[in-house]
Amino acid sequence: MARAVRARGEVVRQFILDNVEKHSGGITTLTSQHFSISRQAAHRHLRNLVKEGALSPSGKTRSRSYHLCSELEHRKVFEFGPDVDEDFAWARDVEPIVGSFPENVISIWHYCFTEMFNNAIDHSGAPEVSLHITKTAANTQMFLLDRGVGIFKKIQAAMRLADERHAILELCKGKLTTDPAKHTGQGLFFTSRLLDSFDILSGSIYFSHVLGTEEEWILERPDSLSGTAIFMKLNNHSSKTCKKIFDHYSDEDDLGFIRTVVPVKLAQYGNENLISRSQAKRVMARVENFKAVVLNFEGVPTIGQAFTDEIFRVFANSHPHIDLTSINCNSEVKRMVETAKVERPVELPTTLSEL
């Protein structure tokens, strides 16, 4: 019986660790409600986690909040040179920290860290990159910072884009690289989907992708950061695997990267609406490289007739081999999409005899 109680206690403790960051002030109530236990019982679990150094309390009584304690912090500056590459940095500074995690978590960190570190070496133009790792009882966070040209600015220049924000939309589609001889353009796409959260700050643009949703978003900051800052976070006991994520975007027959999800909202700037054919062409740029394209309309309240027609009639008719679908459409967007799919232009007579 005691063994069963301890097992349940471990489940409760893991729940607390997984949720305390989002519910620091209400974790006691959340825990007691989730497991149908008293607040006193939830408090006991919290006190034990505090004694073990996993949590740090602040405030008193009902205003008390809890926060994850850092179990380990590691900082390192790598000066780029012939003896420094992503495998060197992984083996020397990262693997010793995450090597005790489950095998699937180690594999995810190996892929994500080496991809982002290699990007800094090959693309940033910076002389060095800084690494900061923070490990808690619940998750591990890694921060990479270089003072190079900036990822969005470099993509903007290489692709001759009108705005740095266009670079983010292209990155989200995948298969984008400024150096095709060395890279496939898949690293950043898959990294953002393997982690619990993935953020990039470069110049005055901040990009974020969060676990559990295909939604990505952009913020503009008044202050500009030279270079590129990458923030990565993953639960220490995540059930995700590299294979599962890769398979979701690949084909069983040729094993290629054939599926992409395009966050349509990223084509919007400020309060503008998506109404023009040029905006539609921006959304659909380079998607002919995929066999299946999913347009995610999360956060898009309305779209115009020309925008819709360009995608769901003009593009669809000229690329019949591409499986084009849409998700997260509100009723108005859905109506516009369905209308565009069935509409056909009226063909005008070309000669007087046809009148």
Side-chain angles (χ1 to χ4, degrees):
M1 185 68 178
R3 186 177 301 172
V5 172
R6 285 199 298 271
R8 177 174 170 82
E10 286 301 315
V11 173
V12 175
R13 287 153 55 91
Q14 191 60 52
F15 176 85
I16 292 172
L17 293 174
D18 290 343
N19 291 275
V20 69
E21 286 185 304
K22 292 183 179 180
H23 306 277
S24 60
I27 190 63
T28 304
T29 300
L30 182 68
T31 303
S32 64
Q33 291 176 347
H34 184 83
F35 292 99
S36 299
I37 59 177
S38 66
R39 287 180 58 87
Q40 290 77 11
H43 271 301
R44 284 198 296 272
H45 289 291
L46 287 162
R47 284 198 301 269
N48 288 334
L49 289 168
V50 170
K51 289 179 182 178
E52 295 171 10
L55 293 180
S56 173
S58 61
K60 296 181 179 179
T61 61
R62 287 186 176 273
S63 62
R64 174 163 291 191
S65 60
Y66 295 85
H67 306 274
L68 291 169
C69 293
S70 296
E71 292 184 345
L72 177 148
E73 286 204 37
H74 177 75
R75 298 175 186 269
K76 177 76 173 182
V77 176
F78 296 90
E79 295 184 4
F80 295 146
D83 297 328
V84 175
D85 60 19
E86 63 273 18
D87 293 324
F88 169 85
W90 166 262
R92 180 173 174 174
D93 288 84
V94 182
E95 188 176 22
I97 295 174
V98 304
S100 61
F101 293 160
E103 184 177 348
N104 64 303
V105 176
I106 297 173
S107 295
I108 291 174
W109 273 126
H110 186 210
Y111 179 89
C112 296
F113 171 78
T114 55
E115 284 288 339
M116 294 304 100
F117 194 91
N118 180 261
N119 278 350
I121 293 175
D122 289 350
H123 299 305
S124 71
E128 62 184 30
V129 63
S130 300
L131 169 67
H132 180 199
I133 303 176
T134 303
K135 184 172 75 171
T136 71
N139 56 61
T140 298
Q141 301 178 56
M142 296 190 194
F143 171 67
L144 284 168
L145 173 65
D146 68 67
R147 295 295 184 180
V149 65
I151 184 173
F152 304 140
K153 186 170 293 185
K154 181 162 186 175
I155 293 172
Q156 178 191 13
M159 297 188 66
R160 300 180 181 179
L161 303 174
D163 193 295
E164 280 188 63
R165 292 170 295 185
H166 294 189
I168 299 179
L169 180 60
E170 294 307 310
L171 280 172
C172 291
K173 297 173 186 175
K175 292 189 179 181
L176 174 69
T177 177
T178 58
D179 189 358
K182 295 182 179 179
H183 297 269
T184 62
Q186 300 180 16
L188 194 145
F189 179 91
F190 283 115
T191 294
S192 68
R193 282 150 178 81
L194 283 164
L195 298 166
D196 292 345
S197 63
F198 177 78
D199 309 303
I200 305 175
L201 175 60
S202 182
S204 59
I205 307 297
Y206 176 68
F207 162 78
S208 179
H209 180 90
V210 182
L211 171 71
T213 175
E214 291 290 356
E215 180 180 2
E216 278 114 337
W217 45 272
I218 305 172
L219 292 177
E220 292 187 72
R221 293 158 40 93
D223 300 322
S224 180
L225 172 77
S226 62
T228 303
I230 303 285
F231 304 85
M232 302 181 284
K233 180 178 176 182
L234 182 66
N235 188 290
N236 295 338
H237 300 279
S238 175
S239 62
K240 290 187 292 184
T241 67
C242 288
K243 183 180 185 304
K244 184 177 181 180
I245 300 300
F246 293 158
D247 286 351
H248 182 67
Y249 295 96
S250 301
D251 184 83
E252 293 183 359
D253 296 327
D254 60 25
L255 301 180
F257 177 19
I258 58 96
R259 180 178 182 269
T260 188
V261 179
V262 182
V264 179
K265 186 178 180 180
L266 295 189
Q268 290 181 286
Y269 302 143
N271 296 321
E272 71 176 15
N273 291 321
L274 296 175
I275 58 175
S276 70
R277 294 188 184 273
S278 61
Q279 290 171 317
K281 291 175 181 178
R282 184 190 310 161
V283 170
M284 304 306 289
R286 296 191 313 106
V287 301
E288 66 274 6
N289 295 324
F290 301 90
K291 294 181 181 179
V293 177
V294 180
L295 298 178
N296 183 8
F297 283 90
E298 179 75 29
V300 178
T302 184
I303 52 179
Q305 187 275 334
F307 176 89
T308 316
D309 183 71
E310 183 66 31
I311 294 175
F312 293 99
R313 188 185 64 82
V314 177
F315 179 89
N317 287 346
S318 59
H319 300 82
H321 60 286
I322 295 179
D323 180 17
L324 183 63
T325 58
S326 55
I327 61 173
N328 297 324
C329 302
N330 64 25
S331 57
E332 182 176 348
V333 171
K334 186 176 182 179
R335 178 180 59 81
M336 292 294 294
V337 170
E338 294 303 319
T339 300
K341 288 180 178 180
V342 299
E343 279 188 347
R344 294 290 184 272
V346 177
E347 294 188 8
L348 297 176
T350 58
T351 64
L352 289 176
S353 62
E354 295 180 13
L355 292 175

